Amino acid sequence: MKKFFPILRNCSLFHDISDDDIPGMLGCLGAKLVSFDKKEPILAEGSPAKYVGILLSGSAQIVRVDYFGNRSIVTDIAPAELFAESFACAGVKTLPVDIIATEDAEVMFIDCVRIMHSCGHACSFHQQMIYNLMKIMADKNLLYHQKIEITSRRTTREKLLTYLTIQSSKNKSNTFDIPYDRQALADYLEVERSGLSSEIGKLQREGVLKCTRNRFELIDLSEQLF
């Protein structure tokens, strides 16, 4: 487990907690390490919503599939990031989403109850960890609102340009890479892949953007394009 300490130090859950406290902390929390293959479910829809996960290596996605089989990417998960904490803290009995490894991944699971309730040893880090967890959930809430801002747009064009504008601002550049191929981008925007590809082609012909695979360049958004 020591090989993952550098990752844990970058995890917001461990912010302002001494490196010396981490080994004892993980023991107190009953942390468990589990490995997953690419495309394997880390947590499946309907499984108990009791664990907070920390991605230690690889990558993953939170995915929602509706009644009709339509797939939507809720968010991506990178190393040192938490997942499933909102469901666990809310006391939801089962997960309403799938969490899928998009690469071979290693994950640390912590029972949420052990984070929220101090143990009999009165460990000093518990209060700090609870504060950190609340901060993470607040930050995630802002990101989910951003996703709603994108997917609530009426047309594929509006959704795409809103997403790309946010990515440009985030990267502080008109040229940037996105973490999705065409199908995954369509799933994230909640649109049809064919319609998305068609709209990208139109925007390129109009001189609004250039793109090669997952690299985009916004050229001119000075006029009203939405």
Side-chain angles (χ1 to χ4, degrees):
M1 193 173 289
K2 285 185 178 180
K3 71 175 183 177
F4 293 117
F5 280 13
I7 296 292
L8 295 177
R9 291 189 191 102
N10 289 323
C11 178
S12 298
L13 188 64
F14 296 89
H15 181 67
D16 280 346
I17 292 174
S18 167
D19 288 355
D20 294 335
D21 285 336
I22 291 179
M25 175 192 229
L26 297 178
C28 180
L29 296 173
K32 298 178 181 179
L33 296 180
V34 184
S35 297
F36 296 90
D37 295 329
K38 182 178 179 179
K39 296 185 178 181
E40 184 180 0
I42 295 174
L43 291 171
E45 180 181 357
S47 61
K50 59 181 293 189
Y51 293 104
V52 173
I54 303 173
L55 187 65
L56 300 175
S57 68
S59 61
Q61 290 178 338
I62 299 178
V63 176
R64 183 178 68 249
V65 180
D66 67 18
Y67 177 80
F68 301 100
N70 298 311
R71 181 177 181 270
S72 172
I73 297 173
V74 178
T75 191
D76 293 278
I77 308 167
E81 290 185 352
L82 263 68
F83 58 87
E85 72 286 340
S86 296
F87 303 117
C89 290
V92 176
K93 288 186 178 181
T94 60
L95 288 174
V97 296
D98 292 306
I99 301 171
I100 308 295
T102 50
E103 298 176 323
D104 291 350
E106 293 174 284
V107 174
M108 176 179 288
F109 289 111
I110 301 173
D111 191 323
C112 187
V113 172
R114 294 208 181 194
I115 299 176
M116 301 300 292
H117 299 281
S118 297
C119 64
H121 301 294
C123 301
S124 60
F125 57 75
H126 263 108
Q127 286 301 111
Q128 182 62 46
M129 180 168 276
I130 291 171
Y131 172 82
N132 291 345
L133 184 58
M134 295 302 102
K135 177 67 165 56
I136 291 167
M137 291 173 64
D139 290 341
K140 292 274 187 79
N141 192 44
L142 294 176
L143 290 176
Y144 292 142
H145 277 291
Q146 186 180 88
K147 173 75 185 293
I148 292 171
E149 177 188 354
I150 295 168
T151 56
S152 63
R153 298 284 184 168
R154 289 178 178 268
T155 67
T156 298
R157 181 188 185 94
E158 292 173 352
K159 292 179 181 183
L160 174 62
L161 286 175
T162 301
Y163 172 74
L164 294 178
T165 301
I166 289 172
Q167 293 303 306
S168 177
S169 178
K170 178 181 176 181
N171 287 276
K172 299 180 180 179
S173 172
N174 284 349
T175 302
F176 50 88
D177 293 330
I178 65 170
Y180 303 123
D181 60 19
R182 287 290 182 272
Q183 183 60 60
L185 179 58
D187 290 341
Y188 180 83
L189 297 177
E190 299 181 9
V191 299
E192 293 294 331
R193 177 176 176 173
S194 59
L196 174 63
S197 295
S198 176
E199 204 59 61
I200 289 173
K202 289 179 183 178
L203 290 168
Q204 289 188 98
R205 290 192 295 273
E206 292 170 15
V208 175
L209 61 79
K210 295 179 181 178
C211 75
T212 304
R213 299 188 180 222
N214 67 333
R215 171 158 287 237
F216 284 79
E217 179 184 354
L218 292 177
I219 300 171
D220 184 9
L221 290 178
S222 58
E223 297 182 5
Q224 179 54 258
L225 299 170
F226 300 109

